[in-house]
Amino acid sequence: MTKGIKDKVVVITGASSGLGAAAARMLSQEGATVVLAARRIDRIQALADQLVAAGRAALALATDVTSRDEVKRLVDSTVDRYGRVDVLINNAGIMPVAPLERLKVGEWDSTIDINLKGVLYGVAAALPHMKQQKSGHLVFVSSVAGHKVAPGMVVYAATKHAIRALAEGVRQELRHFNIRTTVISPGAVRTELLDGISEPDIADAVRKRVEPVALPAEFFARAVVFALSQPEEMDVNEILFRPTRQEL
Ligand SMILES: NC(=O)c1ccc[n+]([C@@H]2O[C@H](COP(=O)([O-])OP(=O)(O)OC[C@H]3O[C@@H](n4cnc5c(N)ncnc54)[C@H](OP(=O)(O)O)[C@@H]3O)[C@@H](O)[C@H]2O)c1
């Protein structure tokens, strides 16, 4: 078990698959109490049951991050059950990429609602508790697309750039309350993210580019463990990692 993680209460959004599920598993192994949030309750309940069967504390709470009330309930219920919230990993996200000229405006809305507004709801839900505790750690998941814009992924990149701006602003305003802020920007990682691309030709092209180099989701979990296990006075603000062979 890793010092700095054992007994921490960690809420993870988007814990039903990919990066969130991998982080939940590794943090649980390292001794954290994990609260798993996503819309697919069957998935997060099955994962929580596995972790509990292994002798650890875990809870699954169905949450849609586009609902401010549901995100507030997630964090408040965590505090009711475990007495505090040490870490919120704002990980839920979608990437329905397509060129702008295809006018997938509904997908633009969902991308902003989930990737940006959902994260803001997370900050709003955790902040009062962390302020009162005089401690806390907010983890944000950006992307290489939060550092670089490329054709075909403009709205996604806009939300991921915004996450970095948000996290830096949160850091500046909340450091007085002893709240740490970490942005993790992964490159290609093998998850279900590409299943959300609705245009078949785009999905095909992205898969051909990404799948040969994509890393296992556990590599993201390692970055989370690194950031969370540092001494309280050290705030790891940015981690950017890619597959060695990734081009963008
Ligand atoms: N994989 C990569 O290469 C990569 C690279 C850079 C950044 N990222 C970022 O990593 C994060 C996780 O993505 P992933 O790669 O692990 O993809 P994933 O396997 O598709 O997981 C996405 C997660 O987000 C959840 N989610 C989506 N909409 C939600 C909503 N409205 N409310 C609550 N949860 C919602 C999903 O759960 P439900 O559907 O059950 O709600 C799922 O657990 C995203 O922010 C993504 O942008 C991924």
Side-chain angles (χ1 to χ4, degrees):
M1 300 221 179
T2 301
K3 198 164 169 270
I5 292 187
K6 190 174 167 325
D7 298 328
K8 268 191 181 153
V9 177
V10 183
V11 177
I12 307 168
T13 68
S16 60
S17 67
L19 307 188
R25 277 198 197 91
M26 198 174 285
L27 289 169
S28 179
Q29 267 166 25
E30 299 294 345
T33 293
V34 292
V35 179
L36 314 177
R39 293 164 303 181
R40 287 172 292 176
I41 183 66
D42 50 326
R43 293 255 202 134
I44 50 174
Q45 191 58 61
L47 178 52
D49 291 346
Q50 270 177 31
L51 302 176
V52 169
R56 301 175 184 124
L59 182 65
L61 294 172
T63 309
D64 183 335
V65 299
T66 65
S67 160
R68 183 183 171 193
D69 288 346
E70 289 189 25
V71 178
K72 184 173 183 320
R73 194 165 63 226
L74 164 70
V75 178
D76 289 350
S77 306
T78 299
V79 175
D80 286 347
R81 173 81 173 252
Y82 297 114
R84 58 185 202 282
V85 55
D86 296 309
V87 183
L88 171 62
I89 306 182
N90 273 305
N91 164 73
I94 58 168
M95 193 188 75
V97 291
L100 290 174
E101 62 174 337
R102 297 198 191 181
L103 296 181
K104 310 288 289 185
V105 179
E107 292 182 352
W108 302 354
D109 284 340
S110 312
T111 305
I112 291 166
D113 288 346
I114 295 168
N115 295 10
L116 184 54
K117 289 176 69 180
V119 172
L120 280 166
Y121 295 156
V123 172
L127 177 51
H129 298 291
M130 291 183 172
K131 217 173 122 180
Q132 195 179 21
Q133 294 167 179
K134 292 201 167 28
S135 75
H137 198 154
L138 295 167
V139 178
F140 299 88
V141 182
S142 179
S143 169
V144 166
H147 294 255
K148 296 194 168 195
V149 183
M153 53 190 306
V154 173
V155 178
Y156 179 74
T159 61
K160 294 302 184 180
H161 275 72
I163 288 302
R164 292 182 55 234
L166 170 66
E168 173 57 9
V170 167
R171 186 192 74 74
Q172 292 181 19
E173 288 198 17
L174 302 192
R175 66 196 170 86
H176 307 290
F177 303 117
N178 194 31
I179 296 174
R180 292 189 278 179
T181 311
T182 299
V183 184
I184 304 181
S185 297
V189 181
R190 211 167 302 118
T191 67
E192 296 175 17
L193 196 65
L194 305 188
D195 297 348
I197 304 177
S198 62
E199 299 284 278
D201 59 327
I202 305 294
D204 210 37
V206 175
R207 280 189 195 286
K208 283 202 177 101
R209 196 175 67 237
V210 164
E211 285 180 348
V213 299
L215 298 171
E218 290 65 34
F219 287 35
F220 167 80
R222 287 187 201 176
V224 173
V225 167
F226 173 76
L228 266 50
S229 59
Q230 300 310 313
E232 204 173 352
E233 64 270 30
M234 170 155 152
D235 190 1
V236 177
N237 300 124
E238 287 260 12
I239 298 177
L240 166 62
F241 72 91
R242 294 177 174 83
T244 308
R245 292 188 294 140
Q246 179 170 326
E247 189 185 348
L248 182 71

